[in-house]
Amino acid sequence: MGYKVVIAGATGNVGREMLNILAERQFPVDEIAVLASRRSQGAEVSFGDKTLKIKDIEQFDFTGWDMALFAIGSDATKKYAPIAAAAGCVVIDNSSLYRYDPDIPLIVPEVNPEAIHGYAKKNIIANPNCSTAQMVVALKPLHDRARIKRVVVSTYQSVSGAGKDGMDELWNQTKGMYVPGQEVAPNKFQKQIAFNVIPQIDVFMEDGTTKEEWKMVVETKKIIDPSIKVTATCVRVPVFVGHSEAVNIEFEDFLDEDEARDILREAPGILVVDKREPGGYTTPVECVGDYATFISRIRQDSTIENGLNLWCVSDNLRKGAALNAVQIAELLGNRVLKKG
């Protein structure tokens, strides 16, 4: 006996990836519905070897469905998630709308699976920001061993984090650099993204941080430990898929780099690729399509007491979004609903 599953936003990058991962991981699906806005009604998407027709989310009745994976943005989620939840369908939401609600669990299954039982308050579970998800997978096993005091992270985030429009802009802008008369002005991004890096993701806040940086701070505290101090600089780079992070960690207790490497090798969801030779590390191109969060460049930081540096890379459409949502669905099934 399997689950009745809804994918809301099935025509987008993340929605399609959710369908791919549900099929790849052989999630026990009895019935599946794919939803999007009315303008996409009747369009087709793939689920394993099946072809599914998109239904209009506005007309859909969530009664009798077990869970709905949402990838439709905050505005639409605000309208439809409460409707689904009230109908008894558990919502796993990929937007930022519910992440900071104290009554809604924010979950990375490798890090805080016990939080799953908090879903019952509102029948909603939040999926963290893509840049947070991969970082906390690496931080949690190290925190368990030596307690983290402070994290300084600089991100190198791919354009797919801004959706299909972001990917199209990089592609068209890059081509336009070589074809006179086909130059493409910035639209999705604040400045030219082709052959450039942009130190702004999301809007600026009063203290000079951006919303993306604020998200990483607040979400890390909620998922792992509110006492951890986090400061982030988030940067958009001309990479199609895969977020990278340079992470500096200060611990309460000394943690040797070799022990840290061993801890991370044993940790769920992590692959350590760390050879001190040319190319002995993972880059975004190599992580595309993979489930793992890759860790490289693990080394002591001699400028602070009890410090480590590491390099963290992951497919943001997978671990940062779709995979994490499916893992939450698996966790919900295994620990709560127990049908599959």
Side-chain angles (χ1 to χ4, degrees), residues 123-145:
N123 240 20
I124 298 171
I125 302 164
N127 207 14
N129 189 37
C130 48
S131 49
T132 306
Q134 68 187 68
M135 184 174 76
V136 296
V137 168
L139 293 182
K140 181 59 164 59
L142 301 178
H143 181 65
D144 288 345
R145 162 61 182 82

Side-chain angles (χ1 to χ4, degrees), residues 43-193:
E44 295 182 339
V45 292
S46 297
F47 174 58
D49 56 2
K50 299 176 184 174
T51 300
L52 308 174
K53 282 194 183 300
I54 297 289
K55 298 179 180 179
D56 179 5
I57 190 170
E58 198 166 329
Q59 303 300 321
F60 188 76
D61 183 1
F62 288 91
T63 305
W65 292 83
D66 295 305
M67 58 182 80
L69 281 62
F70 271 50
I72 54 176
S74 293
D75 290 343
T77 297
K78 192 173 187 177
K79 179 177 180 182
Y80 296 110
I83 294 171
C89 178
V90 182
V91 173
I92 300 169
D93 178 38
N94 196 60
S95 81
S96 62
L97 183 64
Y98 294 113
R99 291 175 188 158
Y100 317 109
D101 185 326
D103 290 332
I104 291 177
L106 179 66
I107 295 178
V108 176
E110 298 94 333
V111 177
N112 61 336
E114 69 288 343
I116 192 73
H117 297 286
Y119 88 96
K121 288 182 180 177
K122 293 192 176 178
N123 240 20
I124 298 171
I125 302 164
N127 207 14
N129 189 37
C130 48
S131 49
T132 306
Q134 68 187 68
M135 184 174 76
V136 296
V137 168
L139 293 182
K140 181 59 164 59
L142 301 178
H143 181 65
D144 288 345
R145 162 61 182 82
R147 291 198 63 81
I148 295 170
K149 287 171 62 177
R150 182 171 183 257
V151 175
V152 181
V153 56
S154 298
T155 72
Y156 308 77
Q157 294 179 228
S158 66
V159 294
S160 57
K164 183 179 181 297
D165 289 347
M167 298 178 79
D168 288 346
E169 187 158 316
L170 173 58
W171 175 250
N172 293 324
Q173 215 169 63
T174 302
K175 287 192 298 180
M177 301 287 283
Y178 295 99
V179 184
Q182 290 190 20
E183 295 84 1
V184 175
N187 180 37
K188 183 67 178 179
F189 301 112
Q190 303 84 4
K191 297 198 176 193
Q192 173 187 314
I193 185 61

